[in-house]
């Protein structure tokens, strides 16, 4: 893990007192004219950068309590990473996967509950039990390989969330079949960004933003009251964005086949597995962006809709349109978005088609 560094803007200076003296008369006038000087304090910006969960993270908070909040965020992100990291022997998920877990922590309990709910709601697209298949493709170790069909067929028999025995009363988990393993990689970053928003609120921060490797969540508006402008990354990671969303108080989470992949014999294989085939999902989409109040949901759904493809995604959205909005970038280079994003989504690069709920 790289060392975390803190970067603070608006640092104090030695000449503070002299300046204060010189400014005291105009300041007093300004105070009586404006009522208070809090707007300046409210717009004080602090940022930390972290490397965690295999991801570069930038967390920004505004106001007097920003530094305090960011220290808590740093601790919390470390804590969640240590809990969920599949490769770390001390992690809770590692213990679950090796059958050695005790009572579940509150975090894992919530993530498991949400994941199993999503499995049902998405008709099996969101499946935390695909982990043995992720291993077979080498995504867990970066020793990439294309598994043979027999291996995939065998491992698919373990990718069955109905065989996760979740004892909600005792907060315990067990697997009905030997060899089953789970992984919250499809939902963990959204859970983390949602936790960060909670910390902001607990600390009295009213405006802030986190970017976890392209997955963004915002609290409130910018300090001047305007909305945040959040870019949707282009699949080729070029300078030109796929689109821009203007939002307040939302998670904006993107899944794409270009995030993590390898190539073999001229074929590209990415890390989002279709649980029906055990292979990287091919559904005619380059990326899916979900906009929602709920970061955890947004992350789970970005993975799920990427697997579902356009038509199923639209049907799914019609049933859940109060919970989220979407932007799909199709293989034929069009942006298809839900109508709730009209007025908030723009693109210089692609044609945008809005889908209505009727
Ligand atoms: P990213 O982590 O790159 O932002 P996603 O949110 O789409 O992208 O998560 C992809 C991760 O989700 C994979 O690395 C893997 O850990 C996990 N995963 C892959 N396929 C599925 C699936 N069908 N259901 C749930 N999780 C999945
Ligand atoms: Mg996801």
């Amino acid at each position: 893990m790289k060392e975390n560094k803190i970067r603070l803007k608006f640092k104090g200076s030695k000449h503070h007192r002299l300046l204060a003296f010189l400014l005291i008369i105009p300041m007093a006038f300004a105070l009586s004219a404006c009522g208070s000087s809090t707007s300046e304090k409210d717009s004080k910006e602090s940022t930390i950068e972290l490397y965690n969960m295999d991801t570069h993270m930038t967390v920004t908070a505004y106001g007097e309590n920003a530094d305090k909040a960011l220290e808590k965020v740093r601790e919390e992100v470390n804590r969640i990473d240590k809990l969920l990291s599949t490769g770390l022997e001390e992690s809770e998920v590692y213990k679950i996967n090796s059958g050695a877990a005790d009572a579940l922590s509150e975090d894992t309990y919530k993530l498991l509950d949400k994941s199993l709910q999503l499995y049902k709601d998405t008709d099996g697209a969101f499946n935390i039990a695909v982990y043995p298949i992720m291993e077979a493709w080498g995504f867990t170790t970066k020793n990439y390989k294309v598994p043979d069909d027999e291996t995939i067929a065998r491992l698919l028999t373990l990718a069955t969330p109905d065989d996760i025995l979740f004892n909600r009363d005792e907060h315990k988990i067990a697997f009905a079949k030997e060899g089953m393993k789970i992984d919250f990689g499809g939902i963990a970053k959204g859970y983390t960004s949602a936790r960060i928003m909670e910390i902001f609120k607990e600390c009295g921060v009213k405006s802030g933003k986190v970017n976890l490797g392209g997955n963004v969540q915002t609290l409130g508006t910018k300090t001047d009251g305007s909305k945040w402008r959040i870019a949707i990354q282009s699949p080729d990671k070029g300078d030109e964005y796929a689109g821009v969303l203007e939002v307040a108080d939302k998670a904006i989470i993107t899944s794409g086949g270009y995030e993590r992949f390898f190539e073999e014999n001229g074929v590209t294989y990415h890390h989002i597995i279709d649980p029906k085939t055990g292979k990287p999902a091919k559904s005619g989409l380059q990326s899916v962006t979900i906009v929602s109040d709920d970061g955890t949901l947004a992350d789970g759904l970005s993975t799920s809709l990427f697997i579902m493809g356009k038509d199923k995604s639209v049907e799914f959205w019609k049933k859940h349109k109060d919970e989220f909005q979407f932007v799909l970038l199709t293989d034929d280079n069009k942006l298809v978005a839900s109508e709730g994003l009209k007025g908030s989504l723009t693109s210089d690069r692609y044609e945008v088609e809005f889908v209505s709920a009727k």
Side-chain angles (χ1 to χ4, degrees), residues 125-128 130 134 183-187 189 215 254-256 259-260 271-275 299 302-303 307:
F126 193 82
N127 181 335
I128 53 169
V130 296
M134 292 292 290
D183 159 34
F184 295 115
I187 198 172
K189 282 184 215 155
N215 298 319
T254 300
S255 285
E259 288 283 352
R260 208 179 317 155
H271 70 137
I272 301 174
I273 300 293
D274 184 342
D299 196 359
S302 69
T303 309
I307 295 164

Side-chain angles (χ1 to χ4, degrees), residues 209-221:
K209 182 171 91 167
V210 54
N211 187 334
L212 311 181
N215 298 319
V216 175
Q217 190 156 359
T218 61
L219 178 71
T221 60

